[in-house]
Amino acid sequence: MNYPERNFKSELTARWSLGETIKTSIIAALYIGLTMILAPLAYGIFQIRISEALGMLPYDRKYGGRAAAIGVVLGGTIIGFISPHGIADLLLGIISGILCLGFVWWAGIAFKGNNIGKIIASIIFSLITTFFIGYLMLHIVFQAPLWEAILGVFIGEIISVVVLGFGLLKGLEATYTRRKKK
């Protein structure tokens, strides 16, 4: 696939558009809706937050880029306010989200959209989230057993981000390619 040249600085400083505002709003709403509908899976020692799959959208500018990164952080922030884990989830979730989504966005540019980059970005995303949510929040703040907290979050992130997030990107890519050919 011919991947257009991208530059992190130019994407970061480009003028914000109405289209990006709409993408941000839709992605934030999807994140909130998915998390709330599937709330029993989204919290606890073993958590599969399906909405985290949206965190891979910043990887490609066509599917969101910076607008997707902001949308997922915004959605995660709003969800943090109603989390059963309180302020710890809100603050650590925001920090984790900014780091994860910034990395995914950067990786999409650095790896020029290839599948190896998608896999690396999704694994790093999962590791960052596991550290902030599994280790810092569940283990340190709430005194959950170390291995249960880390493995519970990591397995959930692998399912949500690596499997579903990667699948989401591949599905969007296939749809975009088919539409472009018509």
Side-chain angles (χ1 to χ4, degrees), residues 4-151:
E5 193 61 37
R6 295 176 68 190
N7 176 291
F8 189 74
K9 183 179 178 186
S10 66
E11 284 188 28
L12 184 63
T13 59
R15 186 177 170 148
W16 190 262
S17 70
L18 176 60
E20 286 178 302
T21 301
I22 292 167
K23 280 182 187 176
T24 299
S25 302
I26 291 169
I27 291 167
L30 282 169
Y31 189 94
I32 294 164
L34 283 169
T35 304
M36 290 180 76
I37 289 169
L38 302 168
L41 295 174
Y43 300 99
I45 297 282
F46 180 75
Q47 53 182 264
I48 302 173
R49 194 174 278 195
I50 303 298
S51 51
E52 294 280 287
L54 298 171
M56 289 303 292
L57 292 176
Y59 191 82
D60 195 313
R61 184 175 46 210
K62 292 185 298 284
Y63 316 130
R66 68 182 180 177
I70 293 168
V72 174
V73 169
L74 179 61
T77 300
I78 293 168
I79 282 297
F81 281 107
I82 60 172
S83 168
H85 301 298
I87 193 76
D89 198 2
L90 175 65
L91 296 177
L92 292 172
I94 290 170
I95 294 167
S96 173
I98 289 170
L99 292 173
C100 289
L101 296 157
F103 180 78
V104 169
W105 180 23
W106 172 84
I109 294 167
F111 287 99
K112 301 187 184 309
N114 69 37
N115 287 334
I116 299 292
K118 289 175 190 154
I119 292 168
I120 291 170
S122 63
I123 291 171
I124 298 295
F125 185 115
S126 298
L127 291 171
I128 292 170
T129 302
T130 298
F131 174 75
F132 279 92
I133 304 304
Y135 178 70
L136 291 179
M137 187 182 79
L138 294 176
H139 176 64
I140 299 296
V141 175
F142 293 108
Q143 302 296 303
L146 177 64
W147 291 111
E148 288 178 26
I150 289 175
L151 285 176

